[in-house]
Amino acid sequence: MRQFFIGHFDAQSNEQYINPRTGLHTYILTFPDSSARLELMSRPDTIAADPSKPNIGFIHVSFAVGSKEAVEAKTEELRSAGFAVTSGPRTTGDGYYESCILGPEGIQIEVTV
């Protein structure tokens, strides 16, 4: 997951933090021109979600890339890297130009203007 965001969305990562008491491993990712941060966490006692089943709660993360052409280019970049494009690029019913990609760990990655 960390390499996905670094490689495709120019994220910067801190050094991995490991809590020896709980087994928690984390990375904090930051993104260019954004105050958004993403924390990636894992613990040996957690169960991974099944991406083949519908989920509730956190469903996707969206990245605005600036233009329709950039949406198309990023979508093709991710498709070429082997990620499934589940929709788009297209204009949605609420007027967004976007595509959706099934990223690592089954997380939906939305790429929009």
Side-chain angles (χ1 to χ4, degrees):
M1 186 64 79
R2 178 175 166 259
Q3 287 308 122
F4 173 81
F5 288 112
I6 290 171
H8 296 288
F9 292 96
D10 299 325
Q12 298 294 312
S13 177
N14 69 336
E15 293 294 320
Q16 183 180 52
Y17 165 73
I18 300 173
N19 183 318
R21 185 176 55 79
T22 64
L24 173 72
H25 295 158
T26 68
Y27 288 103
I28 303 291
L29 305 181
T30 57
F31 298 88
D33 303 321
S34 174
S35 61
R37 295 189 307 169
L38 179 63
E39 184 174 10
L40 303 176
M41 303 170 64
S42 67
R43 278 180 40 164
D45 59 345
T46 57
I47 300 169
D50 183 346
S52 69
K53 296 180 180 171
N55 294 295
I56 59 172
F58 174 73
I59 298 299
H60 75 273
V61 63
S62 180
F63 289 89
V65 295
S67 70
K68 285 184 174 184
E69 295 78 15
V71 169
E72 292 163 2
K74 183 60 69 177
T75 301
E76 188 51 42
E77 172 191 323
L78 294 168
R79 182 191 326 270
S80 295
F83 296 99
V85 176
T86 59
S87 70
R90 65 188 177 95
T91 301
T92 63
D94 54 357
Y96 288 95
Y97 189 76
E98 68 181 32
S99 63
C100 290
I101 291 89
L102 192 59
E105 298 180 14
I107 293 178
Q108 294 177 33
I109 309 295
E110 183 180 279
V111 181
T112 188
V113 174

